[in-house]
Amino acid sequence: MIPFFPLVFPLACIVFLLAFKKYMPNTPKFLAFAGTTLSLVAVFTVQGTESLKIFQDGVLPTPFALAIAVFIAFFATLAALAALRETKSPSFYFNILLSTAFALGAVLSNNFIMMLLFWEGLLISLYLFILPINAKTALKAFLINAAGDVVLLVGICLFYLQNGTLDFTFFAKTNTLLTSSGLWAFILMFTGAVAKAGAFPFHNWIEPAAMQMPASFTAMLPAAIEKLLAVFLMGKMFLIFFPILPATAKVFVCALGIITIAVAAINMLVFKDIKQLLAWNIVMQIGLLVLGMGVHIFDHLLHDTLFVLNHGIFKAALLACAFFTAGAFKLYFGSTDIEELKGTARHAPLMTFVLFICALGLSGLSFVDIFFMPSALVADTYAAMPILIIIPALAAFITMFTFAKVFFALLVKKSRAKAEGSHIYNTVVFLSFLPVLFFTFGFEFSLEPFLAPHFAGINLSWVSIFNILVLLLALALAVKVKLPSYKIKHNTYTITIEAITVFTKWLYKIDRFMDKLIDTWPSAIVKKISLFFSRAHRGNTPQYLLWAILGLLIFAALVSDWGIK
Amino acid sequence: MLLNGIFVIIPVIGAVICAFLNKQKQAPGLLANIILLFGFLISLHIFFMSLGQEWFFGEDVLSAFMLIMIYMVALAVAFFAVFAASTKRRGSYFAILLVITAGMAGVVCSQDLFTLYVFLEVVAVASFVLIAFYNREKSTEGAIRYFYLSSIASAFILFAISLLLLYTGDTTYEGLVKTILQTQGNSAPLNIILGTLAVALMIKTGLFPFHSWTPDAYESASSPISALLAGIVTKVAGTYALVLVCMLLSIVNFGIEHNTVGKAIMWFGLGSIVFGALAAQEQKDFKRMLAYSSISQMGYITIAAALATPLAMAGALFHIFNHATFKTLLFFCAGNVKKATGTTAINEMRGLQEKMPYTSATATIGMLATAGLPPFSGFWSKLFIIAALWQAGFIGMSVTALFASVLTLAYFLKLQRGMFFGSASKNIANVKEQGMGFLIPCFALAFIIIAVGIYFPFIYNNFLSPFIKVLQ
Amino acid sequence: MFDITGLMIFTVLFPFVGALLIPILKHFKLDSGKVALFTAAGTFVSAFLLCYYVSFGLFPVYRIPMPLGMDFHLLGDAMSAFMAAAASFLSFIIMYYSQGYIKESAYKAEFYFAAMLFLGAMMGLVFSANLAWIFVFWEITALCSWRLVGYFRADSDIAKANKTFLITVFGALFLFLALVAIANSNGTIDLTELRGATIPFYATLFIILAAFSKSAIFPFSSWLPDAGVAPSPVTALLHAAVLVKIGVFAFAKIFTFIILDITAAELVMYVAAISSLIAGAAALKETNIKRVIAYSTISQLGFIFFAIAIGGGLGTTAAFLFILMHGVAKGGLFLCAGIIEHKTHTKDITKMGGLAKVMPITALAFGFCALSVMGIPPFGGFFSKFMVFLAAAGEAPTMAIVLFAFAALLTLAYLTRLFHIVFIASPKQNFTKSKHEAPHQMMISVSVLAILSLLLGLFVQWPLGYLSTMFGGAL
């Protein structure tokens, strides 16, 4: 069970927490931090135990999986640290450990059943996380994620049907394109995978959760871990299936991405709060990821893997870091509302700077990414269908626009009381910034030969210039144009709930009708007949004789076969 | 013949003695019970002796079987009546009881139609007297209605007998069978005769639509008498003879396919089943409900008898036995309730289970058995009947008869709800369970129902398969 | 080596003996509850042992020849042993729960008598290999359920008990007809003699209708929510764990021997799917806690029928795993409902709320059981649901799979709704927290079932391994 070795620590810590939480009030915090850090260490050691040859079915997690696992554990650790300042409730720490354990389990499994087990198990920890803060949001988050998981489950079953195995080592070998059940397996599994990260139509819970929960939660779960998991499974799907994916599948994926981006964009423009903005950024980013997957030309296993990794991890890191920053603002200034944060830049310059870099990354500034991913995305999109280039452009534009508004607010000259900082929290922000730095400026390191094949055939220059132009335009407009103020009344969740309500109302009516059919009506009919007979026998002797004579006649008729035959 | 004659003569002698003991309190009852007990034991002995013998109308397995039943039910009723009868004229009461027993024994032991007729009349007259014994207005009315319809029936029987005399000059069963075997092709006259007889006997049995006297008679008679009537009189006076007629019809017409009279009887049987079950639903009186229930169950017996295949016959006879046990039991329970609470109205005294647990338990057993629920005996006889109907190809009838069980269960559940199985109503505070005298017959009958149900193979091998073998 | 046949006979006979001893021992002042508990325990031990021996491939047979082909034939195959063990275990737990629930009353002895009679009939049915005896035991269970449902003796209770009895008897009569038809067309009603035979389509239809009525599938399902007037242990025993499984089990067992017509199988799948959906929808609308859970049972039973209709090793394994997981979890839910009712004196969820603070253990147990029913890992229900879908992929019509996926979504919806309204939402009235949430027998039973839901999931390889080996449904 070596691949599951990193799980031991969080799970052991959970046991200790449950056993000892009464005795030492600070135990949960300590245990959470210990559990997550140890799991991080453990992930690194998994690779090294190959020589021991005691792993599950002889299959080690792939480096791909391990990389994701590393980051999962990393962000969990950061969240545990951040939570030290943000909350006192032991259940929060319990949930951090539980989520870490399940997320690691999902990534380190070597077959789909185990993965699904851990994947769905996250539902419990997600629910328990949000429950103490807001029961309704917890329910919403649970239901939406569970729906996505059901889709994933059905997809996995179809996958089994198609391929006869549930092992991760499976790779599509045939050259015939996927049809019917195999195609459905792909589509359902893909949808289920990105549902976790907040793609349409599974996105409605992220905003309320982000607003109501402490930043460490949001940084850890929706921003980082769930996105990482989604990336993991998305990547897996593509890597397994790419050779045989028909065009319909790719069209589906692109469509999903585009709708997600659109929804995120619409909601982003009416933000009032940094956390709200960042929440919709989560959705926007998964939309971009999905679109990127859809248009990318998968032709070389290694760099495709790196491509996926980068997309996922970089964006996850950016979002996590941004959330931690927002959390810092909340901690120091008491709120994350734009109005209330006016003029705080001068009191928290480092935070503002970090947020600025994150904003650039999220907006997709070309060189703020080791692989020039945004450019690659734009280029690929253009290559796929030229008109589609509007989508990433628009996404970048809106992101930049909204972030610019934030910064203008933060930079406003306004005197404020100085705020108390926190060393631990600052450390957390700094640590989360490290991956961002790496991915941003890492191109300085000589990875060129490595990357060269990737960029063969792409003319980066016009794409980069186009990119910078879009961003500058956004920046400029942000100075003058005000944020729109339309109200969003309906969202997917409420519409679904209403539809279900109507649907169930009608089905319930059918059930009650059937009850009438089986019970009420027959009883009533029998009762009427019975009462009729009762009244026909009320002691009227001639009537009795009449019945007898009638009987005789019928008998005679029957005996003579009605006189016909 | 002589041996069977005992069953007629001894009760008559006993009746005469009882008549003289009119003013005594204990003696008549005791005497009646002793005579009936002995009769029961001897009839059992005779039955086991006659197993394996030739089929011979009037002196054979069937008669012995019916004799057992007659004496069994009569004994139970006499025992119950010792405690339940609230009349001063005990001698007359038990005398008539013995007379009716003698009459019934005569019916089943007779070997020709005229004797049958005579004894049927004896039974009928004795029934009138017993129904009207307490001189209440209702019971007299009930008796008179029975009288009217019974007279019509008697007239029909006489008519049929006279036709038969005209046709063959011989009223014995032997002669009848000979005639049948001779007149292979020309069966119309025989059909008419037997058909007329059948109508008469249907009236006596209380089948739909000739049933109208049944509810009034059963409701208004006192409980032991109702038990007697429903338990055995209608069976002997009605169904036994009907079974004979159906067997003859079947022989005349070579089986059911060409047997129009038999089929007509089957339709009436089916009608009774459904009618009885439906009509019983909304009854407000326990005994009236039981009357309609009897109509329904008689329907089952009739439909099987008219079908006349070996399996069906076995089913019919078994059901006669079973129904005797459960209806008697249920009427006894009704009697208990009447004695304890003063009424047999269904929704008045509720939740009696708490106060009268034994009556309630035995009543439940009786009801479930009537509805044909396993593991009670009623299930097996119903199974035979339904299976026989299905096998003979009467699918529709089979299904209808089967689903009438649901209706049967439904009205009994209503009864349970209104009387036993419910929360106690306020007015039963002073109700007490009846004494052992009342309960022993109930227990005995319940025991028989359960035992026959569970030890079904024993019953089948010893009682029923002989019948089936003989019929084949 | 045990005499396995004796063990099987003991399993069937012991509850009947126990039932008969209850009124007798009552005269000797022995508490009927304890007698029943002892009887249930004994039955479970022997059934479990039987299961163990059966896993080695030793199948006991016992036969008493009876007239007309209605032999009393007991056959202990894998299906029967497993079902017997599961049913007797749940009965035992529920009898223990009853110790705390049923107060002294005039009808207490009758309650335990009927419960033990029911257990005996269940054991008899499970091991019977002759259609006539299956019918006999089937009806005995209906009889027992009538008395048990009407336990509280209120007039409306009796009305509901009568409804239950009538609808299930109506359905059972279809089995009767099937029996008669098969005797006529195939000449025998013994299952072992009918191995590999085909029966007329209408006979299959009759058996299906009978199974539907007993296992509460739409359109014969309306008795089950109404039977919620029964005491909670009765609802748990009859309507979650044991009685409703009779139809499903008989359907599975009979069609292990007789060939199931493809059209009939598809019919079952679709009707079960529609039933699951409608029941799920109803559960979303109801406000009586026991009715909601009852509708949930109807919905889940649809899944079991689906799995059996799919057939094959995988399908049968999935079905029986589901029977086990569902019995444990749903039984737990009903028992929790009993505790809630005990505390709040109401079944209306609109009058409840915030109970998690007042009864934390119950809330946790309820949560565990609900998660299992919803199919969330690591609880046992996840594996059973997953297996059902796995078995369905490819074998079942796509429409049916889609419908069941929706039913699964509805399950999530109504159970979370129930949990929220009852435990989490702000309270509509104030409940005081008492030292003991409920009598200790009730709390222990509920906790056992909840923990078992979790353990069965964590250690799923044991039941799953047993079932796969027995039915040949390896992954």
Side-chain angles (χ1 to χ4, degrees):
Chain A
M1 299 287 282
I2 289 298
F4 291 126
F5 180 55
L7 266 79
V8 169
F9 298 104
L11 290 173
C13 290
I14 286 182
V15 171
F16 280 124
L17 190 151
L18 288 172
F20 296 118
K21 72 169 186 251
K22 280 204 205 68
Y23 300 110
M24 296 183 276
N26 282 325
T27 325
K29 308 182 184 185
F30 169 68
L31 281 173
F33 176 66
T36 44
T37 325
L38 287 172
S39 67
L40 181 57
V41 170
V43 173
F44 278 110
T45 65
V46 169
Q47 185 66 38
T49 55
E50 184 183 351
S51 55
L52 291 178
K53 296 241 187 293
I54 38 169
F55 33 79
Q56 231 181 356
D57 297 345
V59 176
L60 263 185
T62 58
F64 176 57
L66 281 175
I68 300 227
V70 163
F71 281 99
I72 289 179
F74 177 69
F75 286 116
T77 318
L78 289 183
L81 264 181
L84 289 176
R85 281 287 285 161
E86 277 183 338
T87 175
K88 290 188 179 35
S89 96
S91 74
F92 196 86
Y93 297 98
F94 171 81
N95 289 312
I96 291 184
L97 288 168
L98 200 63
S99 310
T100 318
F102 279 126
L104 285 175
V107 167
L108 295 174
S109 313
N110 69 344
N111 64 54
F112 279 107
I113 300 185
M114 294 304 276
M115 189 210 80
L116 188 63
L117 188 118
F118 288 109
W119 187 282
E120 286 211 30
L122 270 174
L123 286 173
I124 302 181
S125 66
L126 183 66
Y127 178 74
L128 288 175
F129 243 134
I130 310 182
L131 187 63
I133 312 286
N134 186 317
K136 274 198 164 178
T137 314
L139 189 59
K140 199 184 216 182
F142 181 82
L143 284 177
I144 293 180
N145 277 292
D149 290 346
V150 169
V151 170
L152 182 59
L153 187 142
V154 178
I156 289 181
C157 291
L158 287 175
F159 179 90
Y160 176 69
L161 167 69
Q162 178 76 1
N163 301 310
T165 174
L166 286 173
D167 260 0
F168 271 5
T169 49
F170 175 83
F171 279 93
K173 290 177 186 55
T174 58
N175 286 322
T176 47
L177 294 181
L178 284 178
T179 49
S180 69
S181 67
L183 185 59
W184 274 108
F186 172 78
I187 289 181
L188 289 175
M189 285 180 76
F190 189 83
T191 316
V194 298
K196 217 40 169 204
F200 178 88
F202 303 100
H203 60 281
N204 282 116
W205 65 278
I206 300 186
E207 184 205 340
M211 291 292 284
Q212 291 155 6
M213 297 289 290
S216 53
F217 163 79
T218 328
M220 184 177 122
L221 263 184
I225 290 189
E226 296 200 334
K227 186 174 296 312
L228 288 168
L229 283 175
V231 164
F232 167 70
L233 197 53
M234 273 203 302
K236 205 150 203 50
M237 298 304 304
F238 265 90
L239 291 174
I240 292 179
F241 282 109
F242 196 77
I244 53 172
L245 272 185
T248 29
K250 294 193 216 169
V251 167
F252 170 77
V253 170
C254 291
L256 189 66
I258 293 174
I259 301 178
T260 310
I261 295 173
V263 168
I266 295 175
N267 280 287
M268 250 204 275
L269 285 173
V270 284
F271 83 100
K272 296 256 175 326
D273 185 306
I274 296 186
K275 286 215 267 191
Q276 196 180 8
L277 174 63
L278 290 174
W280 285 110
N281 263 295
I282 297 181
V283 180
M284 170 81 87
Q285 289 307 314
I286 192 69
L288 280 170
L289 254 86
V290 168
L291 180 61
M293 297 278 246
V295 297
H296 178 77
I297 322 284
F298 279 76
D299 53 2
H300 187 260
L301 190 65
L302 179 62
H303 76 69
D304 290 334
T305 315
L306 286 173
F307 166 78
V308 173
L309 269 180
N310 164 263
H311 252 299
I313 299 180
F314 181 46
K315 292 295 158 59
L318 279 172
L319 285 164
C321 184
F323 265 104
F324 280 126
T325 324
F329 275 107
K330 174 85 185 269
L331 200 61
Y332 306 156
F333 303 110
S335 156
T336 44
D337 190 303
I338 295 297
E339 293 301 311
E340 294 183 31
L341 283 178
K342 281 207 165 114
T344 52
R346 112 191 9 260
H347 296 293
L350 281 167
M351 292 293 160
T352 319
F353 173 68
V354 167
L355 192 60
F356 178 65
I357 302 292
C358 292
L360 286 182
L362 286 171
S363 318
L365 188 59
S366 294
F367 56 83
V368 182
D369 184 349
I370 182 172
F371 290 105
F372 288 75
M373 270 312 116
S375 321
L377 174 64
V378 172
D380 284 344
T381 319
Y382 187 75
M385 194 194 291
I387 193 75
L388 277 186
I389 201 170
I390 287 189
I391 311 288
L394 211 58
F397 177 82
I398 293 181
T399 318
M400 193 66 228
F401 180 73
T402 48
F403 269 116
K405 283 274 177 231
V406 170
F407 287 114
F408 291 153
L410 288 180
L411 289 167
V412 158
K413 267 198 169 62
K414 192 177 171 193
S415 61
R416 292 184 69 96
K418 189 147 169 42
E420 282 279 324
S422 155
H423 292 298
I424 295 184
Y425 215 92
N426 289 348
T427 323
V428 167
V429 173
F430 173 66
L431 285 174
S432 68
F433 191 54
L434 283 180
V436 175
L437 275 180
F438 171 72
F439 282 108
T440 313
F441 300 109
F443 70 92
E444 305 240 305
F445 304 107
S446 53
L447 287 167
E448 291 269 354
F450 194 56
L451 301 173
H454 174 72
F455 294 116
I458 303 176
N459 186 350
L460 281 179
S461 46
W462 76 264
V463 171
S464 308
I465 295 175
F466 174 68
N467 187 291
I468 295 178
L469 278 178
V470 164
L471 292 178
L472 282 175
L473 182 62
L475 206 60
L477 281 176
V479 176
K480 280 290 172 208
V481 179
K482 282 224 284 208
L483 280 176
S485 60
Y486 48 82
K487 279 222 178 295
I488 300 184
K489 285 201 201 73
H490 298 291
N491 56 44
T492 323
Y493 181 71
T494 50
I495 294 176
T496 320
I497 297 288
E498 270 181 44
I500 291 181
T501 314
V502 171
F503 178 64
T504 53
K505 187 171 76 168
W506 284 101
L507 284 183
Y508 185 55
K509 283 203 174 128
I510 297 180
D511 179 73
R512 292 289 90 204
F513 172 73
M514 205 36 142
D515 184 44
K516 277 210 192 72
L517 208 60
I518 292 253
D519 185 30
T520 328
W521 291 348
S523 305
I525 293 176
V526 166
K527 185 169 179 167
K528 279 211 169 54
I529 297 178
S530 180
L531 281 173
F532 166 71
F533 281 132
S534 263
R535 286 190 207 105
H537 283 86
R538 278 287 148 218
N540 190 351
T541 315
Q543 194 178 45
Y544 292 0
L545 293 172
L546 222 66
W547 279 104
I549 294 173
L550 184 66
L552 182 61
L553 289 172
I554 297 179
F555 186 77
L558 280 175
V559 168
S560 56
D561 281 329
W562 301 100
I564 300 173
K565 284 179 232 173
Chain B
M1 172 82 169
L2 192 61
L3 204 56
N4 289 345
I6 292 180
F7 292 103
V8 181
I9 297 176
I10 307 259
V12 171
I13 298 175
V16 172
I17 300 177
C18 278
F20 282 115
L21 296 172
N22 207 357
K23 293 297 176 220
Q24 301 280 343
K25 280 187 89 175
Q26 308 279 9
L30 204 54
L31 182 62
N33 274 299
I34 293 174
I35 292 179
L36 290 171
L37 182 61
F38 271 109
F40 177 56
L41 293 171
I42 298 176
S43 64
L44 270 175
H45 172 70
I46 298 226
F47 176 76
F48 284 112
M49 263 179 43
S50 60
L51 280 177
Q53 282 183 8
E54 280 273 316
W55 183 263
F56 190 67
F57 290 115
E59 193 176 287
D60 55 9
V61 195
L62 181 58
S63 304
F65 179 69
M66 295 304 295
L67 276 173
I68 295 180
M69 275 184 13
I70 293 171
Y71 275 87
M72 178 179 83
V73 177
L75 176 64
V77 170
F79 190 92
F80 192 76
V82 168
F83 301 93
S86 56
T87 169
K88 296 253 178 0
R89 300 175 287 149
R90 296 179 84 83
S92 316
Y93 190 85
F94 284 102
I96 313 254
L97 195 57
L98 287 169
V99 165
I100 204 172
T101 315
M104 289 195 283
V107 168
V108 302
C109 295
S110 62
Q111 290 177 341
D112 71 285
L113 281 173
F114 196 72
T115 327
L116 180 76
Y117 171 69
V118 167
F119 281 109
L120 277 176
E121 288 305 299
V122 169
V123 170
V125 170
S127 315
F128 306 149
V129 176
L130 283 174
I131 295 175
F133 202 81
Y134 286 94
N135 269 330
R136 291 190 292 255
E137 186 188 334
K138 265 197 113 182
S139 36
T140 321
E141 267 190 45
I144 293 188
R145 294 209 185 98
Y146 182 26
F147 176 70
Y148 285 147
L149 282 162
S150 193
S151 317
I152 297 179
S154 307
F156 270 110
I157 298 179
L158 270 179
F159 181 61
I161 293 178
S162 35
L163 275 180
L164 186 60
L165 270 175
L166 272 174
Y167 187 61
T168 57
D170 188 358
T171 58
T172 61
Y173 297 146
E174 259 184 75
L176 204 47
V177 172
K178 266 206 223 95
T179 322
I180 291 173
L181 292 173
Q182 280 170 357
T183 64
Q184 295 277 336
N186 183 15
S187 53
L190 275 173
N191 271 336
I192 295 177
I193 295 172
L194 291 171
T196 324
L197 260 180
V199 173
L201 293 168
M202 282 200 278
I203 298 179
K204 287 245 183 236
T205 318
L207 287 176
F208 178 80
F210 310 108
H211 65 279
S212 340
W213 61 272
T214 331
D216 293 334
Y218 287 7
E219 188 188 359
S220 53
S222 65
S223 306
I225 304 305
S226 312
L228 189 68
L229 275 178
I232 197 66
V233 172
T234 42
K235 289 191 182 51
V236 169
T239 17
Y240 166 76
L242 200 51
V243 164
L244 279 183
V245 169
C246 289
M247 280 200 285
L248 289 170
L249 275 168
S250 175
I251 302 177
V252 170
N253 293 294
F254 307 110
I256 192 67
E257 293 81 35
H258 314 291
N259 189 355
T260 42
V261 181
K263 279 197 206 153
I265 300 179
M266 280 177 79
W267 278 107
F268 277 82
L270 189 68
S272 303
I273 296 176
V274 173
F275 167 77
L278 282 173
Q281 299 286 333
E282 288 298 313
Q283 294 304 320
K284 296 282 178 290
D285 182 273
F286 192 175
K287 286 162 74 171
R288 214 174 163 81
M289 185 186 267
L290 288 177
Y292 284 108
S293 175
S294 297
I295 297 175
S296 191
Q297 299 303 311
M298 291 301 181
Y300 277 101
I301 300 172
T302 314
I303 201 174
L307 183 57
T309 63
L311 188 63
M313 270 305 175
L317 293 167
F318 193 23
H319 204 63
I320 291 180
F321 175 79
N322 284 336
H323 187 240
T325 51
F326 11 101
K327 259 309 137 30
T328 316
L329 171 61
L330 284 171
F331 272 107
F332 284 171
C333 291
N336 282 346
V337 170
K338 180 79 184 278
K339 263 274 185 299
T341 64
T343 173
T344 50
I346 292 183
N347 281 314
E348 278 199 25
M349 300 281 185
R350 311 182 70 139
L352 283 174
Q353 186 192 4
E354 207 175 328
K355 298 284 185 191
M356 306 179 74
Y358 299 109
T359 307
S360 175
T362 46
T364 311
I365 293 176
M367 290 183 214
L368 292 172
T370 317
L373 228 68
F376 304 111
S377 48
F379 163 64
W380 300 107
S381 52
K382 262 212 180 121
L383 178 61
F384 280 9
I385 297 176
I386 307 287
L389 282 170
W390 182 284
Q391 260 178 13
F394 292 93
I395 308 288
M397 284 195 180
S398 175
V399 173
T400 317
L402 183 62
F403 282 96
S405 300
V406 180
L407 287 173
T408 314
L409 191 62
Y411 63 73
F412 276 135
L413 288 181
K414 275 205 188 63
L415 176 67
Q416 280 277 333
R417 178 176 166 190
M419 206 174 250
F420 296 109
F421 189 47
S423 52
S425 58
K426 303 273 187 306
N427 48 5
I428 69 165
N430 294 325
V431 171
K432 272 190 301 217
E433 181 63 89
Q434 292 300 298
M436 276 318 267
F438 294 89
L439 289 175
I440 288 180
C442 295
F443 285 149
L445 287 167
F447 174 74
I448 293 177
I449 293 176
I450 299 179
V452 170
I454 296 183
Y455 286 104
F456 168 68
F458 172 74
I459 304 289
Y460 181 81
N461 289 326
N462 293 322
F463 293 91
L464 292 172
S465 53
F467 277 128
I468 298 185
K469 286 201 198 65
V470 170
L471 286 167
Q472 280 160 349
Chain C
M1 173 64 85
F2 259 113
D3 172 18
I4 302 184
T5 316
L7 199 60
M8 179 174 72
I9 298 175
F10 178 80
T11 315
V12 174
L13 219 51
F14 191 53
F16 284 113
V17 168
L20 288 170
L21 283 177
I22 286 177
I24 298 176
L25 290 177
K26 189 174 157 205
H27 275 293
F28 291 105
K29 302 285 184 252
L30 237 76
D31 182 30
S32 45
K34 304 262 185 321
V35 176
L37 189 63
F38 175 70
T39 313
T43 316
F44 169 58
V45 168
S46 79
F48 189 75
L49 279 174
L50 199 59
C51 219
Y52 173 67
Y53 285 119
V54 163
S55 68
F56 293 114
L58 304 158
F59 302 127
V61 176
Y62 180 69
R63 193 166 188 160
I64 304 179
M66 299 246 291
L68 296 177
M70 298 189 280
D71 300 353
F72 183 68
H73 188 185
L74 294 179
L75 175 65
D77 60 7
M79 230 180 238
S80 313
F82 183 78
M83 189 77 212
S88 54
F89 171 72
L90 288 164
S91 304
F92 170 65
I93 297 277
I94 293 171
M95 282 299 107
Y96 185 61
Y97 179 92
S98 312
Q99 308 292 312
Y101 188 93
I102 303 288
K103 301 177 188 41
E104 275 306 321
S105 91
Y107 310 120
K108 180 172 160 184
E110 187 191 321
F111 174 87
Y112 285 110
F113 172 76
M116 285 301 103
L117 199 63
F118 170 76
L119 183 59
M122 182 71 192
M123 294 295 115
L125 188 145
V126 156
F127 288 111
S128 284
N130 184 300
L131 286 174
W133 285 96
I134 291 180
F135 177 76
V136 169
F137 288 121
W138 186 298
E139 292 281 56
I140 297 180
T141 57
L143 166 61
C144 296
S145 80
W146 171 55
R147 293 313 280 202
L148 287 169
V149 170
Y151 178 75
F152 288 126
R153 300 290 194 283
D155 191 54
S156 55
D157 293 354
I158 306 292
K160 300 282 190 268
N162 288 351
K163 177 174 178 175
T164 307
F165 200 11
L166 285 171
I167 296 187
T168 43
V169 164
F170 175 74
L173 290 181
F174 282 109
L175 183 62
F176 188 113
L177 274 180
L179 199 146
V180 167
I182 294 177
N184 206 24
S185 66
N186 287 57
T188 172
I189 46 174
D190 189 286
L191 285 177
T192 49
E193 288 165 28
L194 284 169
R195 199 188 292 267
T198 46
I199 55 178
F201 184 71
Y202 55 83
T204 312
L205 205 59
F206 289 155
I207 295 178
I208 291 175
L209 285 172
F212 276 2
S213 86
K214 197 72 167 178
S215 287
I217 299 292
F218 186 85
F220 299 113
S221 54
S222 56
W223 63 270
L224 188 55
D226 284 346
V229 297
S232 290
V234 170
T235 333
L237 184 64
L238 265 47
H239 308 132
V242 188
L243 187 141
V244 291
K245 302 281 166 41
I246 288 179
V248 162
F249 176 79
F251 181 65
K253 182 150 185 177
I254 292 176
F255 291 109
T256 318
F257 294 92
I258 301 179
I259 309 261
L260 180 62
D261 192 58
I262 305 280
T263 337
E266 286 203 1
L267 181 72
V268 168
M269 285 188 215
Y270 279 116
V271 175
I274 296 175
S275 171
S276 286
L277 274 178
I278 293 184
L284 213 46
K285 284 251 153 296
E286 284 279 350
T287 53
N288 175 317
I289 189 173
K290 285 178 87 171
R291 284 183 76 96
V292 173
I293 306 178
Y295 275 116
S296 173
T297 309
I298 300 175
S299 196
Q300 302 305 307
L301 286 167
F303 279 92
I304 307 181
F305 268 109
F306 186 48
I308 297 178
I310 293 170
L314 205 55
T316 323
T317 310
F320 278 87
L321 193 66
F322 206 105
I323 288 179
L324 176 64
M325 301 298 183
H326 178 251
V328 171
K330 202 40 80 54
L333 282 180
F334 271 118
L335 294 184
C336 285
I339 297 179
I340 293 172
E341 195 191 349
H342 187 265
K343 176 92 187 171
T344 62
H345 302 294
T346 175
K347 288 192 194 123
D348 186 355
I349 57 179
T350 57
K351 295 196 174 53
M352 301 179 199
L355 285 175
K357 294 192 183 42
V358 179
M359 20 174 48
I361 303 181
T362 313
L364 196 62
F366 192 96
F368 274 28
C369 294
L371 284 170
S372 183
V373 174
M374 284 192 257
I376 308 282
F379 296 93
F382 164 70
F383 294 98
S384 53
K385 267 222 172 94
F386 183 58
M387 294 282 305
V388 170
F389 278 108
L390 211 56
E395 301 281 340
T398 322
M399 194 58 195
I401 300 182
V402 169
L403 290 174
F404 273 107
F406 272 114
L409 287 171
L410 281 176
T411 313
L412 290 163
Y414 63 70
L415 276 176
T416 43
R417 166 186 176 257
L418 187 64
F419 185 77
H420 253 253
I421 296 183
V422 171
F423 291 106
I424 310 288
S426 52
K428 303 290 179 304
Q429 7 168 333
N430 283 325
F431 298 108
T432 47
K433 184 167 178 165
S434 49
K435 186 154 175 280
H436 296 294
E437 285 178 34
H440 68 276
Q441 294 101 336
M442 291 161 74
M443 298 308 292
I444 294 180
S445 336
V446 154
S447 313
V448 165
L449 287 177
I451 296 178
L452 198 59
S453 301
L454 181 60
L455 288 179
L456 280 173
L458 292 175
F459 297 105
V460 74
Q461 60 261 35
W462 286 352
L464 188 54
Y466 176 85
L467 288 171
S468 307
T469 334
M470 290 284 111
F471 301 129
L475 267 179

